[in-house]
Amino acid sequence: MATIRNLILILGDQLTYNISSLQNADPAQDRILMVEVMDEATYVKHHKKKIAFLFSAMRHFAEALKNMGWTVNYVKLDDANNQGSFAAELASATTRLNPQQIRATEPGEWRVRELLLGSDVILLPDDRFIASADEFTEWVGDRKQLRMEYFYRDM
């Protein structure tokens, strides 16, 4: 099996070709991982149609990437070996593919960000926002109350 340089995790809310984790990526050397997991579908109540639309969008994006020459490892919710969580699916893919490194664009949700920070994933900044998470953290400083209105005014 050819050496895989980067395993690139793409999350369901990152379905764009311009995402930072795909910048400087090479379909000949890198592999994409996308997963549908029960943890994400059930951590809070979601309308069933929302979940269906999300998974449909993910599957269409994965197909588009394949048509562009990417190798995409896609785990569907009903796959027999689906482990049910990002962490378990990432560990499984890492063991199976043995990439030199794992990359992802910083998740928009703190819960997912914390999960990935505890792993070997290199988190790249999400440049789809005006301010980065680090810029927001710097702004927070030692404030006792956080009001987004004041942050927006500073922006």
Side-chain angles (χ1 to χ4, degrees), residues 74-110:
Y74 194 96
V75 180
K76 292 182 179 179
L77 189 65
D78 59 356
D79 283 349
N81 294 325
N82 187 316
Q83 314 246 351
S85 73
F86 282 140
E89 287 301 332
L90 197 52
S92 176
T94 301
T95 299
R96 202 172 56 254
L97 302 171
N98 194 28
Q100 293 173 4
Q101 65 180 16
I102 308 162
R103 297 169 38 149
T105 295
E106 185 175 41
E109 290 189 48
W110 287 105

Side-chain angles (χ1 to χ4, degrees), residues 14-15 35 42-44 51 58-59 66 69 76 86 89 94 97 103 105 110-111 114 116 118 120 127 138 141 154:
Q14 299 178 342
L15 308 180
V35 297
T42 60
Y43 77 95
V44 295
I51 299 296
M58 289 174 63
R59 291 176 186 188
K66 287 177 186 177
K76 292 182 179 179
F86 282 140
E89 287 301 332
T94 301
L97 302 171
R103 297 169 38 149
T105 295
W110 287 105
R111 177 184 55 77
E114 292 299 313
L116 293 179
D120 292 329
D127 55 11
E138 183 180 321
D154 284 349

Side-chain angles (χ1 to χ4, degrees), residues 28-125:
Q29 301 180 72
D30 303 325
R31 180 87 43 102
I32 294 175
L33 174 65
M34 296 178 70
V35 297
E36 300 172 6
V37 291
M38 191 58 73
D39 277 2
E40 291 306 300
T42 60
Y43 77 95
V44 295
K45 272 192 108 144
H46 291 87
H47 195 286
K48 291 176 186 177
K49 286 183 182 178
K50 178 181 180 177
I51 299 296
F53 285 135
L54 175 64
F55 289 164
S56 175
M58 289 174 63
R59 291 176 186 188
H60 281 88
F61 187 69
E63 274 305 308
L65 289 169
K66 287 177 186 177
N67 291 336
M68 294 171 64
W70 287 96
T71 300
V72 179
N73 286 61
Y74 194 96
V75 180
K76 292 182 179 179
L77 189 65
D78 59 356
D79 283 349
N81 294 325
N82 187 316
Q83 314 246 351
S85 73
F86 282 140
E89 287 301 332
L90 197 52
S92 176
T94 301
T95 299
R96 202 172 56 254
L97 302 171
N98 194 28
Q100 293 173 4
Q101 65 180 16
I102 308 162
R103 297 169 38 149
T105 295
E106 185 175 41
E109 290 189 48
W110 287 105
R111 177 184 55 77
V112 178
R113 184 177 188 269
E114 292 299 313
L115 180 129
L116 293 179
L117 281 175
S119 65
D120 292 329
V121 177
I122 297 168
L123 288 180
L124 302 165

